[in-house]
């Protein structure tokens, strides 16, 4: 089996809205996640248009990285991280999204974080927009379907590239940009479109307030903003490398019925290549107009937009990967509960406690599919197992199920490398326990580091190393050769 290349970027990943806390400190403005309540496996999250007394908003505290950043980065350094993927909160830099001047306290905070990373030998990988759209822009502009947001985003990106030149070389424009292909996640967290009702339940399987025209127009505007941002990054510092980031979605035919095979092929294509082609190839795929007709939308791609997309393709492809599922052409076959992007349960695949299909082989299938299409270096920037971990009286946390999950996925990564895939890094998701984006709970834990915080917000926020912490330390030290 092939070895991982020298300089492979082993590490972990987080998102500020799930992790950082300090939602109203030092001049930070509100984001859309700041008005999303806590939930659980059985209780959906609610979306409000403001902070309503009596509701628990988990992003407000996260796991308080804002005050624990030095300790947390030191723990990553102890594991041997080569890379830490994190996001900058737009509203911590520009509280309203389009302010005349940036917030110096926000700039100073991230500078301290990046400098600490370098002191510990860790390369920062920064997501410019990770489901953290400024609430003010949602309320005033209605989200990304207003082209004024493009200028605001590019100005925000310019500020980051200028401020952190030499400190950050790896950037991602939008997290899981293909989330905008699916309601309601795509409306709310993808393109910042709030429901008209100021207090509504978020149902990941059904969305009464979805507007495909606004959602896909917003996605087009993000493509334009991303392309402009790539060009800007290269102009400010030629050493910058900018990637796209997609949710890696693997879908198999539910049966060998040709209708299921065609349905699965079309779904894989739409969920992955619609966004991938624009950002990696610089143009919409040939079948995009047919998709627009089916959705009943009209997407205007001006000659100027087409030129921008051609000239602003990314340097590398990055993705998340958690699960796979099946696709059936039969409308009577039900989708899996709890699965944000839909799909039919696969009887050949084990399930997590939250019903997500655990499919390491699907990761190799996806990596080879994407590399064959784009021929760009690939980085897996999210992969992990959400589980109900338990803190023992002696401060230990035994999570052999997580070690097994990661071991199997890393083995398939190595096989993909052996098959010729140019893989540049792996940052496991939620390296420190954080708030779940889909359910808004703490109980669904991913990290190598346990954080003492509960679903109701109680807890000391103390950090504890899980068994997987020491296992991953060994994996990094051996560049993936020792997975025992």
């Amino acid at each position: 089996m092939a070895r991982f290349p020298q300089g492979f970027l082993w590490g972990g990943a987080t998102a500020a809205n799930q992790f950082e806390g300090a939602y109203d400190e030092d001049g930070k403005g509100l984001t859309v996640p700041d008005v999303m309540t806590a939930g659980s496996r059985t209780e959906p999250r609610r979306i409000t248009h403001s902070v309503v007394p009596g509701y628990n908003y988990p992003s407000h505290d996260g796991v308080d990285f804002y005050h624990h950043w030095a300790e947390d980065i030191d723990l990553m350094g102890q594991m041997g991280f080569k890379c830490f993927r994190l996001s900058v909160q737009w509203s911590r830099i520009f509280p309203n999204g389009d302010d005349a001047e940036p917030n110096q306290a926000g700039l100073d905070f991230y500078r301290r974080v990046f400098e600490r990373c370098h002191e510990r030998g860790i390369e920062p990988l920064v997501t410019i927009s990770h489901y953290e759209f400024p609430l003010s822009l949602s309320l005033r502009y209605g989200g990304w379907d207003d082209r004024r947001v493009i200028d605001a985003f590019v100005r925000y990106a310019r500020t980051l590239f200028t401020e952190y030149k030499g400190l950050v070389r790896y950037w991602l424009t939008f997290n899981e940009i293909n989330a905008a292909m699916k309601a309601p996640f795509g409306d709310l967290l993808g393109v910042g479109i709030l429901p008209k009702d100021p207090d509504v339940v978020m149902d990941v399987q059904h969305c009464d307030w979805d507007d495909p025209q606004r959602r896909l127009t917003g996605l087009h505007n993000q493509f334009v903003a991303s392309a402009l941002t790539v060009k800007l990054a290269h102009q400010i510092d030629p050493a910058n490398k900018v990637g796209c980031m997609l949710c890696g979605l693997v879908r198999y035919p539910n049966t060998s019925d040709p209708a299921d095979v065609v349905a699965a092929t079309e779904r894989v294509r739409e969920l992955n290549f619609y966004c991938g082609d624009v950002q990696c190839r610089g143009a919409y795929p040939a079948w995009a107009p047919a998709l627009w007709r089916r959705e009943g939308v009209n997407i205007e791609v001006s000659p100027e937009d087409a030129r921008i997309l051609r000239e602003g393709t990314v340097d590398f492809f990055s993705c998340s990967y958690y699960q796979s599922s099946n696709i059936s052409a039969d409308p009577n076959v039900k989708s899996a509960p709890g699965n944000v992007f839909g799909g039919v349960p696969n009887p050949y695949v084990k399930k997590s406690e939250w019903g997500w299909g655990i499919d390491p082989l699907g990761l190799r299938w996806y990596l080879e599919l994407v590399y064959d299409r784009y021929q760009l270096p690939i980085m897996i920037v999210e992969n992990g197992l959400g589980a109900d971990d338990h803190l023992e009286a002696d401060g230990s946390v035994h999570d052999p199920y997580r070690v097994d999950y990661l071991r199997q996925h890393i083995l398939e990564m190595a096989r993909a490398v052996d098959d010729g895939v140019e893989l540049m890094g792996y940052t496991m998701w939620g390296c420190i326990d954080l708030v779940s984006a889909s359910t808004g709970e703490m109980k669904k834990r991913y990290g190598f580091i346990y954080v003492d915080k509960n679903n109701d917000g109680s807890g000391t926020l103390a950090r504890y190393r899980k068994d997987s912490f020491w296992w991953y330390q060994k994996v990094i030290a051996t560049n993936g050769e020792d997975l025992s």
Side-chain angles (χ1 to χ4, degrees), residues 1-35:
M1 187 177 297
R3 294 183 175 181
F4 291 100
Q6 287 298 115
F8 191 79
L9 295 172
W10 295 100
T14 60
N17 71 89
Q18 299 167 251
F19 177 58
E20 201 171 271
Y23 85 105
D24 62 351
E25 291 189 34
D26 295 334
K28 179 187 169 295
L30 292 176
T31 65
V32 170
D34 289 332
V35 293

Side-chain angles (χ1 to χ4, degrees), residues 205-276:
Q205 298 299 328
H206 179 69
C207 183
D208 292 327
W209 48 272
D210 176 48
D211 182 340
Q213 178 66 51
R214 292 184 66 197
R215 176 164 48 81
L216 292 178
T217 298
L219 179 56
H220 173 76
N221 291 341
Q222 286 186 332
F223 289 149
V224 173
S226 177
L228 290 168
T229 297
V230 171
K231 290 185 67 177
L232 184 62
H234 294 157
Q235 290 166 6
I236 291 174
D237 187 351
N240 279 332
K241 299 293 183 184
V242 187
C244 62
M245 197 292 201
L246 274 69
C247 181
L249 295 167
V250 172
R251 297 294 181 264
Y252 305 120
N254 198 46
T255 70
S256 56
D257 182 335
D260 282 0
V261 175
V262 170
T265 302
E266 289 181 346
R267 193 63 175 151
V268 165
R269 183 178 69 177
E270 291 173 2
L271 290 174
N272 297 293
F273 298 154
Y274 181 89
C275 296

Side-chain angles (χ1 to χ4, degrees), residues 165-205:
K165 183 177 179 179
L167 276 176
V168 179
R169 294 186 303 137
Y170 293 99
W171 303 88
L172 303 176
T173 52
F174 293 95
N175 178 70
E176 292 182 335
I177 194 168
N178 55 336
M181 301 297 290
K182 178 75 167 61
F185 239 59
D187 300 83
L188 188 68
L189 295 178
V191 293
I193 298 173
L194 292 169
K196 292 180 180 178
D197 186 336
D199 188 352
V200 63
V201 168
M202 187 177 81
D203 182 347
V204 297
Q205 298 299 328

